[in-house]
Amino acid sequence: MAHNRIKTEGMLQRTVKKPVRLQGIGLHTGATVTLTISPAEPNTGFVFLRTDLTGPASVIQARWDHVVDTKLCTVIGNSHGTTVGTIEHLMSALAGCGVDNALIALDNIEVPIMDGSAAPFVDAIERVGTVSQNAPRHAIRILKPVTVTEGGKSATFTPDDVTTYSFEIDFDSAAIAHQAHTVELDAESFKDEISRARTFGFLHEVEGLRKMGLARGGSLDNAVVVSGDTVLNEGGLRFDDEFVRHKILDAVGDLYLAGAPIIGHFHGCRAGHALNNKLLRALFADHSAWCYETPASTVPASWRAVKQLAVA
């Protein structure tokens, strides 16, 4: 029996019922971060608010064209030079929970890493619940294949009647080796198959990053750490193929910066944050590759501007 898919056409937008607060440490800063997810009006999308700043400099709209860095995580920024990093796990949870609009306030430069997965954010959203809003939910339908490549890495959209993610990775470490996973995305499958998959890294890379002043908050409590062919975490893995599932988790979050759910198939091969964003840029640069599922008159002005930019 098919799952209840994440609904788009003909459905209403959703936001959280009331504010929900989380606290954790930043993966790279090691600083304690307090984050609050609050309701937002229809057609708002996702707006990050840096509470340690004031005025226009404190506000960043979470969109594909506001991504300013993808080296170690996905970072968005505004014209004032303000940034917020490590947004992908939270964005993934918002996508998986079917949230369309939210104000996300935080008092530091990155979203807390929590346990390295999207599950704590899913739990927080489920704790307060979501509510439908008086505005139609829009979707972006893939009309033809779009691919970006870099070396032996690739990311591709192809048309499909449902939202499907597939990914494959290949590492020299026997702890990972070759893994592949496919999921037809809905709220149930995201929570059960994807949300709990943790970020991962290699011990020698962590040591190198710390020498550079990064990964100060990284630990076995918030990442799967591999040394050679061994997983160092005492509890082992949550899934036999947790590594590739986390790559899907990242892709779901990165691609939700499109501004609406995407109806189509995504396939990543050894891809990461950089290719995920390049894929969105390539998609929106080709106006014949996609369309909105709803009439243009009901599409928010900010989204129509993106379409006009793509056509220009």
Side-chain angles (χ1 to χ4, degrees), residues 4-8 95-98 137 163 185-188 190 261:
N4 293 321
R5 297 164 184 156
I6 293 178
K7 294 178 173 59
T8 51
C97 292
R137 190 175 206 215
T163 301
L185 198 70
D186 57 44
E188 181 181 352
F190 178 82

Side-chain angles (χ1 to χ4, degrees), residues 204-224:
H204 69 275
E205 293 178 346
V206 173
E207 292 170 344
L209 289 171
R210 284 182 174 168
K211 288 179 181 178
M212 297 168 57
L214 301 170
R216 294 174 178 173
S219 72
L220 294 173
D221 293 327
N222 53 39
V224 176

Side-chain angles (χ1 to χ4, degrees), residues 33 37 41 106 123 126 149 191 196 204 250 256 286 306:
V33 186
I37 307 169
E41 292 298 313
L106 71 167
D123 292 343
E126 289 186 340
T149 61
K191 182 177 180 180
R196 295 177 59 246
H204 69 275
D250 279 346
Y256 206 37
D286 184 352
V306 171

